[in-house]
Amino acid sequence: MFVVAHLGHWYESVLYAAPMVIIGSVLWWTAKRERDREAAEDGWEGEDDPQWNDDPRLRDD
Amino acid sequence: MPRLIALFTAAIVLALPAAAQAHGLVGRRDLPVPAWLFAWAATAVLLVSFVGLGALWREPRLGKARERRLLSVPAWLEIPFGLLGIALLGLTIYAGFAGIQIDTANWTPTAIFVGLWVGVPFLSLLVGDLYAAINPLRAMGRATGWIAGKVAGDALPAPLVLPERFGRWPAALGLLAFAWVELAFPGRGDPSQLAVLVVLFCLVHGVGMSLYGTEPWISRCDPFAVWFGWVATLAPVRWDRGTLYGRAPTVGTAARRAVPGDAAVVLVAIGTTTWDGLSGGDLLGSLTGDLATEVAKTGLSATWANAFVLTIGMLLAVGFVTGLVFAGTRGMISPAARRRAAAEASKASAERKADRGDEPRDAPGKASGAPTSVKPRSGPPSVRQLVTDFAPALVPIGVAYAVGHYLSLLAFQGQAIPQLLSNPLGRELAPGTGGWLGTAGWTIDYSWLSSNAIWYLQVAALLTGHVASLVLSHDRALERFPKSRAARSQRAMLVVAVIFTCTGLWLLSAV
């Protein structure tokens, strides 16, 4: 009964959480599809395709 | 990404029962649409911003933006500003000890929690790094150094060097300690106890400055100088040796490079503000009270049991915010790159083991276990390094949370500052007298800003802050990742921004 009595408040919070759930789910699903596709293509991006621009100048304070 | 989803699901699960405590919260505002619709609209704005950035913002721009010289002021103005800071500090300590021990009637609590903690960063958003000008510690350190130099001359020993690995971690710890005083310390409303803490703060930093030099110490260990300095990078102006430069907002934030500890400073600011919203309103108020009652059964006094619960809650909030940001940052690196890095690390490790196994332990010219020639190829950075590199993008979120949370405090309690400045000790004044500045009789006008206006300003601040964060993060990604990958790397950060925005609005709606 306690839970039922507070459903009104729960409903409000779910409405705040809904955008997070929707955006999070869509992006997670998109990332998963890409991961699966990369795995199917061997997933190796090659020696000359760096993921990271290791520019030492950017390490400065 | 799975970690992010797990964290985010946990957040929602935690949020639901908490909301059940939210009684008596409606009716304060008269909004034309339900408050939760603002979260949906904010999410839509963030989504459109993210897509727009990916489509239209193809080159890093903020780091290359130019500043315009606006005006110069005489260098000697540093002295009166420094003296003003020292005078305010002295007044805060004096009023804490000598004044009436009622928090609202004494200058000290309002000076610390409203003037310093809220007023200074709000003003810094407009006029630049105000705290750097009035920082009493810096003023005292520089004055002491100048006098010591005159007296001792060349005999003065050179300052020690702060280890690089400390970064700005001391400032982050200092900020956490201040937040604890604000949110959990039982004596936070007691002027004399606050004055003792201010004296301790001055002593610790005085010793630090004397050992390591004023500027190195302040720039890395003074929590207010570091956090307010980051806030001021968002301002449209910058002061440098008496010259004022104009620039577009956020340009300064993009231009400043973070060091280890900077991210912690921002995460502490966000996490503690989140906890302040959760514990201060009705959302968790009764829950923390019930938990404190349980803790008190162990023999702890009721006051300290409450402080214990609040401390744990604050640490959990900071931990949650940190986990969320780390999860989002981890999502910047593609799974393929992570696999490659792991494979290379594993290969390098195997080759090192093989080298050690094949080589006699007493081989001439080489110590046992010394590094071998096998080095892993440069791969993606660690998540911790990425969090540091992208820390400036978190600054607008921290500021947005602070503005959203403390706006009403500044709007109303801020009006008490002139009144308390005229009567800092809170003494009974004769009728018709206005105290030191003639403003002791001023009263707080609670009607000048309506609840609706506050809500709209809070929403605008949250939204502006999170869009600015997306822009900064996207611009930094263009610097750090190949262009083909930059926009994609920011998807997880979009989720983080949406979570922060909706959570912020939810907290504000319940106050």
Side-chain angles (χ1 to χ4, degrees):
Chain A
M1 282 306 291
F2 177 82
V3 174
V4 175
H6 286 77
L7 271 182
H9 299 302
W10 287 46
Y11 157 80
E12 278 278 323
S13 293
V14 168
L15 288 171
Y16 279 97
M20 311 183 219
V21 175
I22 294 169
I23 297 287
S25 304
V26 168
L27 290 180
W28 176 78
W29 183 72
T30 312
K32 185 177 179 303
R33 272 188 62 191
E34 281 177 6
R35 202 163 52 235
D36 293 346
R37 196 176 63 233
E38 279 175 359
E41 293 169 359
D42 195 22
W44 194 266
E45 299 184 5
E47 292 280 325
D48 52 352
D49 181 19
Q51 284 284 315
W52 182 251
N53 297 337
D54 206 4
D55 184 347
R57 288 173 303 171
L58 296 174
R59 304 284 181 193
D60 296 343
D61 184 6
Chain B
M1 184 59 86
R3 224 170 124 193
L4 175 63
I5 299 294
L7 277 169
F8 148 80
T9 310
I12 293 166
V13 170
L14 283 170
L16 291 177
Q21 315 291 332
H23 297 284
L25 301 174
V26 288
R28 282 182 162 190
R29 304 182 194 96
D30 184 21
L31 300 172
V33 294
W36 58 264
L37 263 180
F38 286 86
W40 286 70
T43 303
V45 172
L46 289 176
L47 198 57
V48 169
S49 305
F50 177 76
V51 173
L53 284 168
L56 304 173
W57 194 300
R58 299 293 183 90
E59 297 285 339
R61 295 177 188 178
L62 296 176
K64 297 172 188 166
R66 296 280 176 88
E67 294 180 333
R68 285 177 297 116
R69 186 174 169 278
L70 297 177
L71 61 92
S72 292
V73 295
W76 57 262
L77 275 177
E78 285 183 357
I79 297 171
F81 273 108
L83 287 174
L84 174 67
I86 293 172
L88 289 172
L89 173 70
L91 181 64
T92 304
I93 294 171
Y94 172 66
F97 287 125
I100 188 170
Q101 297 300 303
I102 298 173
D103 57 350
T104 50
N106 188 298
W107 160 255
T108 304
T110 300
I112 295 171
F113 297 127
V114 182
L116 172 70
W117 183 234
V118 182
V120 171
F122 273 52
L123 277 175
S124 300
L125 281 173
L126 302 173
V127 303
D129 198 352
L130 174 67
Y131 193 68
I134 61 168
N135 186 344
L137 294 178
R138 172 178 276 141
M140 287 191 289
R142 289 174 71 174
T144 309
W146 183 78
I147 293 169
K150 288 286 177 194
V151 173
D154 294 338
L156 203 63
L160 303 173
V161 178
L162 268 169
E164 280 297 316
R165 66 177 184 280
F166 284 1
R168 293 202 177 97
W169 280 101
L173 289 175
L175 202 64
L176 191 64
F178 174 80
W180 179 79
V181 171
E182 185 201 11
L183 303 176
F185 178 50
R188 58 186 178 276
D190 183 330
S192 63
Q193 292 194 47
L194 288 177
V196 169
L197 291 177
V198 173
V199 171
L200 281 175
F201 177 82
C202 293
L203 284 175
V204 168
H205 287 277
V207 170
M209 286 189 295
S210 63
L211 289 175
Y212 294 99
T214 300
E215 290 305 326
W217 181 267
I218 292 288
S219 66
R220 289 169 58 185
C221 303
D222 180 344
F224 303 114
V226 173
W227 171 233
F228 298 162
W230 272 111
V231 173
T233 62
L234 289 167
V237 291
R238 178 178 71 90
W239 290 94
D240 186 16
R241 296 185 188 88
T243 303
L244 183 66
Y245 296 90
R247 62 191 179 187
T250 72
V251 162
T253 320
R256 186 165 167 187
R257 302 298 169 189
V259 299
D262 274 326
V265 168
V266 186
L267 291 170
V268 165
I270 299 173
T272 53
T273 310
T274 303
W275 175 245
D276 199 4
L278 271 172
S279 62
D282 289 342
L283 291 174
L284 287 186
S286 57
L287 180 63
T288 53
D290 292 346
L291 284 173
T293 307
E294 291 300 316
V295 172
K297 289 176 185 168
T298 63
L300 211 59
S301 71
T303 307
W304 282 101
N306 191 48
F308 176 77
V309 171
L310 292 174
T311 304
I312 298 297
M314 183 186 80
L315 294 175
L316 283 176
V318 173
F320 172 73
V321 166
T322 304
L324 194 61
V325 168
F326 267 74
T329 307
R330 187 173 179 269
M332 289 186 194
I333 307 171
S334 75
R338 280 204 295 269
R339 276 200 304 275
R340 185 176 60 201
E344 284 180 354
S346 168
K347 187 181 167 191
S349 170
E351 289 186 20
R352 270 199 301 272
K353 278 183 188 167
D355 277 1
R356 280 202 295 272
D358 294 344
E359 206 168 65
R361 295 185 76 85
D362 55 352
K366 190 171 184 181
S368 176
T372 68
S373 59
V374 180
K375 288 181 183 172
R377 192 172 57 82
S378 172
S382 66
V383 175
R384 185 181 291 187
Q385 178 63 48
L386 268 180
V387 169
T388 299
D389 287 335
F390 282 79
L394 298 172
V395 174
I397 297 179
V399 172
Y401 263 51
V403 172
H405 186 73
Y406 296 117
L407 181 67
S408 55
L409 180 72
L410 187 66
F412 300 123
Q413 192 59 29
Q415 295 177 53
I417 289 175
Q419 173 197 338
L420 291 168
L421 259 181
S422 279
N423 184 17
L425 305 184
R427 287 189 175 145
E428 201 73 45
L429 295 177
T433 55
W436 292 356
L437 304 175
T439 54
W442 288 15
T443 52
I444 297 175
D445 177 7
Y446 287 100
S447 64
W448 79 277
L449 205 56
S450 70
S451 298
N452 275 11
I454 289 176
W455 170 255
Y456 288 127
L457 287 171
Q458 288 171 326
V459 172
L462 271 180
L463 201 49
T464 308
H466 286 83
V467 170
S469 172
L470 282 184
V471 171
L472 281 164
S473 194
H474 179 80
D475 195 76
R476 181 57 53 92
L478 286 166
E479 284 180 352
R480 306 301 263 137
F481 291 100
K483 282 176 195 160
S484 59
R485 169 109 198 115
R488 270 195 299 163
S489 74
Q490 295 306 297
R491 283 187 303 211
M493 293 309 286
L494 170 67
V495 179
V496 171
V498 168
I499 293 174
F500 275 136
T501 306
C502 293
T503 306
L505 288 171
W506 175 62
L507 291 174
L508 292 174
S509 72
V511 173

